[in-house]
Amino acid sequence: MFLTVTLTLLEGFLQTIKLFVLTLLFSLPLGLIISFGSMSKVQAIKVPVRFVIWVIRGTPLMLQLLVIYYGPGIIFNANVWGSGDGGRFVAALVAFVINYSCYFSEIYRGGIQSIPVGQYEAGQVLGMTKHQIFFKVVLLQVIKRIVPPISNEIITLVKDTSLARVIAVYEIIWEGQSFIKSAGIIWPLFYTGVFYLLFSGLLTLLFGRIERKLSYFR
Amino acid sequence: MAILEVRNLKKSFEDTEVIHDISFTMDEGETVTIIGSSGSGKTTLLRCLNFLETPDSGVIKVKDDILFDSDVPESMSEEAIRRKRLHFGLVFQSFNLFPQYTALENITLAPSLLAKEDTSIDASSIEENAKELLEKMGLSDRMGNYPHELSGGQQQRVAIARALALHPDILCFDEPTSALDPELTGEVLRVIKELAKQHTTMIIVTHEMSFAHDVSDKIIFMDKGVIAEEGTPEEVIDNPGNERTIQFLANYKNGK
């Protein structure tokens, strides 16, 4: 029984990890673009971007999942997400990407704005372009500063993926819960915690390593 | 021949006029020191020369080349400004070294980037040149160190080498020792004096009066956004003629 449960949970955890990895893949760069928008000097860009960030950060992720999955069907009377498991997964992914890129964008903004103006000015008087100043001077300093808050957010994401079960994405909690109905046992649900713990432990080690790598400068 | 000519320069921030009609010239190889109390517009003047601030009106000419003319708006495109900046070098009060690069890399970064877009620059000599500059600054043993491993005085000397590496026509210093502990100012001032001896063209904003007296060919005393008095150190510091200069120097001596 233990083996069957473990294998089933592993299958669910594979979905969890897939959602996790794809969310990061899209939301980390998208967050940077959103952060530029929220720092824009053009009000017509800045105001709507900040409005979206406010809405996304101000409502529960679970609600966003439901709105994004069911919303298009209600408004356009069409299933934009495709049918079956695949469609529900894509909808969940879109909701996670939007939610996390907004959070990441605020971390990026904090990081970018914390770089002293003297760094930009030094680059300018040395004849560097804006582009060069950002990529050669500022970026690594920003990365160093945002690694701790980003790690925090990423570890939260590992566990937030479990919310995807509200639109029936078969991630690990869903699988764990299914044993209550099918076999009348609850321990598989509790057992899922071990998978989360091991995975976030691995991530913690990874982030620690990145922080140490960047500790050569201050 | 005047290497730098500044004519009728004006700059306001919102409603406050920080620089009110400044004109002066300097010759190649000269060291000009700007003194004056805080808020007199010294730093703003330097920042205008380095295009960190855009003057409201006036003309800036280097070697008869018009760098800025408020009547010619084309001269203010970003790309044009970037090129013109290279006539000037600027050493900041707070050093502003790049923390993730070693002392040597801080110096070679900008020249290497410029060499990429301008093939007439010999990229192979950049590192050699940077090493020579560090040696001149007395820092040959610190090349591989990161800024946080250096003292303030050492950091400022790296910053001076970094500015020199681009061979500016005029090297500007914005209170180069104000952020340093008193025991560290000497090493930085010595380096600047050495540069003056080699006839590096320099504009220095400083509060170090005796240093200004020793190093300058010309001293400009600024007060409330205008040049209140200018002349040789003997004229301005030893025998000031202007009431406000006398007041400033008296306050300065009392403060010591």
Side-chain angles (χ1 to χ4, degrees):
Chain A
M1 189 67 196
F2 182 75
L3 191 68
T4 327
V5 168
T6 305
L7 285 176
T8 313
L9 291 188
L10 255 180
E11 210 172 294
F13 199 56
L14 218 63
Q15 281 297 98
T16 297
I17 288 181
K18 201 169 125 197
L19 186 56
F20 169 81
V21 170
L22 288 173
T23 300
L24 285 185
L25 197 68
F26 291 110
S27 61
L28 283 170
L30 187 61
L32 190 62
I33 295 169
I34 296 175
S35 76
F36 287 140
S38 71
M39 290 184 288
S40 174
K41 283 178 194 139
V42 185
Q43 292 294 317
I45 297 174
K46 182 177 144 178
V47 174
V49 168
R50 294 227 169 155
F51 178 79
V52 170
I53 294 174
W54 171 64
V55 170
I56 296 299
R57 294 204 308 170
T59 55
L61 176 51
M62 189 188 283
L63 189 60
Q64 291 163 20
L65 276 159
L66 293 169
V67 167
I68 282 174
Y69 182 58
Y70 293 111
I74 295 165
I75 300 164
F76 306 113
N77 212 9
N79 182 5
V80 297
W81 301 118
S83 60
D85 300 352
R88 292 197 301 279
F89 183 85
V90 173
L93 179 62
V94 168
F96 274 95
V97 167
I98 293 174
N99 185 277
Y100 271 80
S101 37
C102 284
Y103 277 97
F104 287 146
S105 82
E106 285 296 278
I107 296 177
Y108 291 143
R109 186 169 68 86
I112 291 171
Q113 289 178 342
S114 73
I115 303 300
V117 66
Q119 291 289 307
Y120 292 92
E121 292 185 345
Q124 283 175 323
V125 298
L126 291 167
M128 292 187 203
T129 63
K130 271 189 174 164
H131 191 263
Q132 288 170 340
I133 293 171
F134 185 76
F135 285 101
K136 299 281 181 185
V137 175
V138 175
L139 187 59
L140 193 61
Q141 298 181 50
V142 172
I143 291 174
K144 181 185 168 81
R145 287 178 198 212
I146 66 175
V147 167
I150 289 272
S151 332
N152 219 0
E153 209 57 49
I154 289 178
I155 285 173
T156 305
L157 172 62
V158 179
K159 296 159 291 167
D160 271 0
T161 51
S162 63
L163 289 169
R165 61 186 263 285
V166 298
I167 55 169
V169 170
Y170 303 139
E171 46 67 65
I172 185 167
I173 297 268
W174 176 286
E175 299 290 1
Q177 217 170 9
S178 72
F179 283 100
I180 300 176
K181 267 188 205 154
S182 65
I185 44 173
I186 198 163
W187 64 263
L189 184 58
F190 299 162
Y191 178 30
T192 59
V194 176
F195 289 78
Y196 285 109
L197 269 178
L198 285 177
F199 191 61
S200 53
L202 213 68
L203 288 174
T204 307
L205 288 177
L206 177 74
F207 294 131
R209 179 173 269 193
I210 294 173
E211 275 186 48
R212 271 196 305 281
K213 265 233 148 109
L214 289 171
S215 67
Y216 72 90
F217 71 90
R218 262 179 227 153
Chain B
M1 187 192 92
I3 191 168
L4 172 67
E5 184 182 346
V6 174
R7 217 164 52 215
N8 305 111
L9 209 66
K10 288 184 187 175
K11 175 70 185 172
S12 306
F13 293 113
E14 271 135 42
D15 291 333
T16 328
E17 195 164 58
V18 184
I19 294 184
H20 177 75
D21 202 359
I22 285 206
S23 303
F24 71 95
T25 63
M26 71 183 288
D27 290 333
E28 190 155 8
E30 262 190 341
T31 298
V32 172
T33 302
I34 305 175
I35 59 171
S37 43
S38 314
S40 59
K42 310 174 303 255
T43 293
T44 307
L45 175 59
L46 268 199
R47 290 173 61 86
C48 283
L49 292 178
N50 285 276
F51 295 96
L52 290 176
E53 307 289 352
T54 311
D56 298 328
S57 65
V59 176
I60 300 171
K61 276 202 224 171
V62 171
K63 291 179 171 168
D64 276 336
D65 203 4
I66 296 178
L67 292 198
F68 176 84
D69 185 343
S70 48
D71 294 334
V72 187
E74 303 87 82
S75 66
M76 287 182 255
S77 83
E78 208 180 295
E79 188 55 32
I81 287 175
R82 187 169 73 87
R83 284 271 152 203
K84 287 168 185 178
R85 275 205 177 101
L86 293 172
H87 287 285
F88 293 91
L90 178 61
V91 174
F92 297 86
Q93 183 177 343
S94 48
F95 331 134
N96 295 342
L97 292 181
F98 305 133
Q100 73 270 43
Y101 294 113
T102 62
L104 187 65
E105 289 165 345
N106 259 279
I107 301 169
T108 55
L109 179 67
S112 313
L113 290 173
L114 283 172
K116 267 185 206 162
E117 56 184 279
D118 182 351
T119 45
S120 69
I121 298 171
D122 178 16
S124 61
S125 65
I126 289 172
E127 194 172 316
E128 206 51 44
N129 181 39
K131 283 180 180 163
E132 267 169 42
L133 282 168
L134 278 175
E135 203 167 311
K136 237 169 113 177
M137 298 293 136
L139 292 169
S140 346
D141 55 334
R142 290 297 192 178
M143 274 183 224
N145 286 97
Y146 289 92
H148 77 270
E149 298 165 334
L150 303 174
S151 72
Q154 290 171 332
Q155 288 190 52
Q156 192 59 302
R157 283 184 281 153
V158 174
I160 294 171
R162 181 173 73 171
L164 283 170
L166 291 172
H167 310 292
D169 293 316
I170 300 158
L171 183 56
C172 303
F173 294 83
D174 183 15
E175 301 189 26
T177 57
S178 295
L180 296 175
D181 293 335
E183 70 266 29
L184 298 177
T185 58
E187 62 188 65
V188 172
L189 297 182
R190 254 197 310 282
V191 164
I192 301 175
K193 275 184 191 166
E194 195 51 46
L195 290 173
K197 250 186 231 161
Q198 295 159 13
H199 300 290
T200 312
T201 313
M202 296 188 285
I203 302 177
I204 307 167
V205 168
T206 186
H207 290 295
E208 301 277 341
M209 286 311 140
S210 63
F211 163 72
H213 187 281
D214 295 348
V215 80
S216 315
D217 296 299
K218 182 160 96 179
I219 292 194
I220 291 176
F221 170 68
M222 277 183 72
D223 185 66
K224 299 192 177 101
V226 297
I227 295 180
E229 187 164 1
E230 63 177 296
T232 63
E234 291 72 28
E235 286 164 352
V236 178
I237 292 185
D238 300 338
N239 304 294
N242 182 296
E243 193 51 47
R244 286 181 290 186
T245 321
I246 296 170
Q247 189 64 41
F248 170 76
L249 290 170
N251 287 344
Y252 183 80
K253 275 175 197 144
N254 291 341
K256 267 203 144 176

